[in-house]
Amino acid sequence: MNKESVLLDKLEKISNILSENYTTNEHVGVLSGISGIALFQFYYAKFTDNDAYADIGVEMISTVIEKINEGYSFPTFCTGIAGAGWTIELLAKEGFVDVDSDELLVDLDEYLSSAIIQMGEKDKFYDFLHGTIGIGFYFFKRYKNTKSEALKKSYKTKLLELVASLKRTAIEEDDTMRWETSLSKETALIGANLSLSHGMASIINFLSRLVSYDDFRDQVMPILQKATQFILKYANDDVSCSSSFPSWVYDGMEKNGQERLAWCYGDLGIGLTLYRVGKVLNDNVITQKGLTTVENSCKRRDLTETRVKDNGLCHGTFGMVQIYNSMYKETKKEIFKETADFWMDQGISMATHKDGYVGYKQWFGGEEEGWRTEMNLLEGIAGIGLSIISYLAPFETEWDECLLIS
């Protein structure tokens, strides 16, 4: 079979696997829960022009709503309620479902607001996947989409409180701004995480979205500028190194010019974010740095050097396909299309697990080291399937906003 036939076959099988097994997932969020699995079915329905898959997606979203109504209370974007709410908003915007989000979601606001206060002021936990930035990302989606002026004003207040919390807890130094966090529980190492998944790249990516609106510009602009300058301060200009940025910085850190190549950590997430920030700020220096960072990463194609072991969106081949494809659509630079094609070919060839889902399993390191099957969007076949749809589809897809890409 040619490449397209192989990918189409995988999509059909992924849809069947997800339909039969999604109820084994106990969570509701977009990245690790049922909501993200539902996203695949809705986009697959559009891709195949077959409403039967959308009907399955509706079943999945109904399950999510039932779980919340029955007491599911985990608040986060990745795993919990904020991610589920964001998904419903996207589905409504894309015309996949006909719901009144103002009526359906408003009862979640107070609980999610209290979670932000707990995580932000008390714990300084500004994490996109599991902390305040992810919940703020949901509130921003509601701010943009609500039809109620009263609710819009309420979301504005919530978002400004989050921005104020970021400002209060930041460490300012030499016209830069950073937030420190635990980098290692084992060694109690404290420093600044620069990643898109958990660190400062996600913060400035989020702020770059807010700053485009008059309601937030004055409060957000100085924070965005100073935090971006902190990241730029650690750019590695040594051309002999494979990486342009470290994953994190801390006192006494030795320079390491070889970080992993992935969505979650390293140059791809930082580069695409700097490109976005530069565009928003109309700063050609920042824009070019972001573009150059992603372009330089196109040279890295060795699985061992890039530390690519699996295929999920988080730290595998299909996450890279999604980023490079997005940068190609944005810039029309052929190097990005060619690199997306390369990693798609790698993703196809790595489907070798006979006991996996369509040949795929996820690699877990640490104490749980080993391979296991995974369905969700962030690390499993729902995300792989969505990336394939974006790669093949003649229409634009917006689902990767949940990864801060679009």
Side-chain angles (χ1 to χ4, degrees), residues 323-341:
I323 291 174
Y324 287 122
N325 251 341
S326 176
M327 289 298 291
Y328 171 69
K329 291 174 183 177
E330 178 70 24
T331 68
K332 303 306 178 188
K333 284 181 170 284
E334 285 296 327
I335 185 61
F336 294 137
K337 180 67 171 69
E338 191 269 330
T339 307
D341 290 342

Side-chain angles (χ1 to χ4, degrees), residues 128-148:
F128 173 60
L129 295 188
H130 309 299
T132 63
I133 297 301
I135 300 175
F137 195 63
Y138 162 70
F139 279 141
F140 180 53
K141 192 78 166 174
R142 292 288 293 127
Y143 167 85
K144 291 188 296 181
N145 291 356
T146 182
K147 297 178 177 64
S148 164

Side-chain angles (χ1 to χ4, degrees), residues 107 121 138 151 171 206 238 247 299 354 357 386 403:
D107 289 341
E121 291 300 309
Y138 162 70
L151 285 176
I171 299 171
F206 170 63
D238 184 349
S247 291
K299 304 170 187 175
K354 293 182 179 179
Y357 292 145
L386 282 165
L403 295 172

Side-chain angles (χ1 to χ4, degrees), residues 92-267:
K93 181 177 181 296
E94 287 274 61
F96 292 140
V97 297
D98 183 15
V99 297
D100 184 342
S101 296
D102 288 344
E103 181 178 343
L104 180 63
L105 300 176
V106 68
D107 289 341
L108 305 176
D109 291 352
E110 185 176 347
Y111 173 68
L112 292 177
S113 294
S114 65
I116 282 187
I117 293 170
Q118 169 73 18
M119 294 176 179
E121 291 300 309
K122 183 177 183 296
D123 300 325
K124 301 179 184 178
F125 190 46
Y126 302 107
D127 185 293
F128 173 60
L129 295 188
H130 309 299
T132 63
I133 297 301
I135 300 175
F137 195 63
Y138 162 70
F139 279 141
F140 180 53
K141 192 78 166 174
R142 292 288 293 127
Y143 167 85
K144 291 188 296 181
N145 291 356
T146 182
K147 297 178 177 64
S148 164
E149 285 302 317
L151 285 176
K152 194 176 190 73
K153 184 176 180 180
S154 172
Y155 295 128
K156 173 187 172 181
T157 299
K158 296 177 193 305
L159 289 164
L160 286 173
E161 287 172 350
L162 176 54
V163 171
S165 175
L166 282 168
K167 184 177 181 180
R168 281 193 299 271
T169 56
I171 299 171
E172 292 193 62
E173 188 175 55
D174 298 330
D175 292 322
T176 69
M177 186 175 284
R178 71 183 187 275
W179 295 268
E180 293 195 333
T181 185
S182 172
L183 301 177
S184 171
K185 293 180 180 178
E186 289 78 14
T187 63
L189 182 64
I190 300 295
N193 186 322
L194 302 189
S195 74
L196 187 60
S197 52
H198 304 293
M200 285 186 56
S202 67
I203 293 177
I204 66 170
N205 192 305
F206 170 63
L207 294 177
S208 74
R209 298 165 192 268
L210 291 182
V211 80
S212 299
Y213 290 78
D214 290 340
D215 281 342
F216 310 110
R217 184 171 293 113
D218 291 346
Q219 290 82 2
V220 167
M221 183 66 78
I223 304 173
L224 176 59
Q225 290 173 326
K226 291 177 180 179
T228 301
Q229 287 306 313
F230 179 82
I231 293 176
L232 289 170
K233 177 180 174 182
Y234 289 92
N236 187 356
D237 297 321
D238 184 349
V239 295
S240 67
C241 296
S242 62
S243 301
S244 299
F245 288 92
S247 291
W248 46 65
V249 296
Y250 53 89
D251 289 341
M253 179 185 74
E254 295 182 7
K255 280 196 172 183
N256 173 20
Q258 186 178 323
E259 301 290 345
R260 76 187 310 162
L261 191 64
W263 170 82
C264 54
Y265 278 93
D267 286 352

Side-chain angles (χ1 to χ4, degrees), residues 14-24 41 56 60 375:
I14 286 171
S15 177
N16 291 334
I17 292 167
L18 296 178
S19 300
E20 293 168 4
N21 297 283
Y22 78 91
T23 55
T24 62
Q41 297 291 5
I56 298 169
M60 293 176 175
M375 287 185 293

